[in-house]
Amino acid sequence: MKTIKVPSYEQVSPANQAIFDSLKKGLGFVPNLYATFAHSETALATYLALQNAKSSLSPKAREVINLVVSQVNNCAYCLAAHTALGAMLGFTPQQILEIRRGGVAFDARLDALAKLVRNITLERGHAAPALVQAFFAAGWTEANLVDALVVVGDKMVSNFLHGSTQIPVDFAAAPSLDA
């Protein structure tokens, strides 16, 4: 089987090199998954535009989605990255594990979001009507639903890229759900 390698700065296009430079300034490094998008002339910029698009969802709500979807898809890379990001946003290690399990007992609104997103991911987009209703009953809006689905799609893309390439994870491994 062909092994997909993480491209170096010198191996990517000048447009992607400029993005690498921006990532290094903002993050201090270019994560391997982002670098892997740069095998394509356009995918890295497209993905970052999607990931950084304006949203009606808070950063914490988006992180709940990222963690739930990555857990359902068993993406070691995204679980590692989003465990770190979740902690930066103020979630405790125990809360991150709870979110990954698909429930959020410490916040009813985020709980409705997590349960819906888990169901949507497991059922390939076919949401259970009761979970959609619970989402709206928790105070979410139609705009929030649409934006949540955009984040689900974003995370599916990165989960699938890692699942197909198995590039090395350059974040601390996410703890097991048994932790």
Side-chain angles (χ1 to χ4, degrees):
M1 182 171 138
K2 179 178 175 70
T3 300
I4 307 296
K5 302 237 187 261
V6 177
S8 68
Y9 184 88
E10 295 75 24
Q11 294 173 314
V12 303
S13 70
N16 282 328
Q17 287 177 348
I19 296 170
F20 279 23
D21 291 339
S22 293
L23 288 167
K24 283 180 193 171
K25 283 181 189 172
L27 301 174
F29 75 112
V30 177
N32 285 343
L33 193 67
Y34 286 165
T36 303
F37 276 105
H39 278 295
S40 163
E41 176 69 30
T42 57
L44 179 58
T46 300
Y47 181 74
L48 290 172
L50 175 63
Q51 190 172 61
N52 296 316
K54 289 184 179 182
S55 176
S56 65
L57 301 174
S58 70
K60 278 191 164 187
R62 290 192 307 269
E63 208 51 47
V64 165
I65 297 168
N66 290 330
L67 286 162
V68 169
V69 173
S70 296
Q71 184 63 52
V72 169
N73 289 324
N74 197 29
C75 181
Y77 192 99
C78 295
L79 284 170
H82 290 289
T83 294
L85 290 170
M88 290 171 55
L89 287 172
F91 290 124
T92 68
Q94 294 72 30
Q95 288 173 331
I96 291 169
L97 290 171
E98 186 177 333
I99 293 165
R100 288 174 49 200
R101 288 183 184 102
V104 186
F106 61 89
D107 185 304
R109 199 159 181 257
L110 291 177
D111 187 57
L113 173 65
K115 287 178 176 164
L116 177 62
V117 166
R118 184 174 188 283
N119 175 254
I120 286 169
T121 307
L122 285 168
E123 299 301 325
R124 299 183 319 208
H126 300 279
L131 292 174
V132 175
Q133 188 56 40
F135 174 82
F136 291 129
W140 296 102
T141 67
E142 288 87 352
N144 297 145
L145 177 63
V146 172
D147 285 341
L149 293 170
V150 169
V151 178
V152 169
D154 154 12
K155 198 47 42 203
M156 296 291 279
V157 169
S158 61
N159 290 174
F160 288 3
L161 181 62
H162 185 259
S164 297
T165 63
Q166 294 298 306
I167 51 100
V169 178
D170 49 358
F171 290 88
S176 163
L177 283 184
D178 298 332

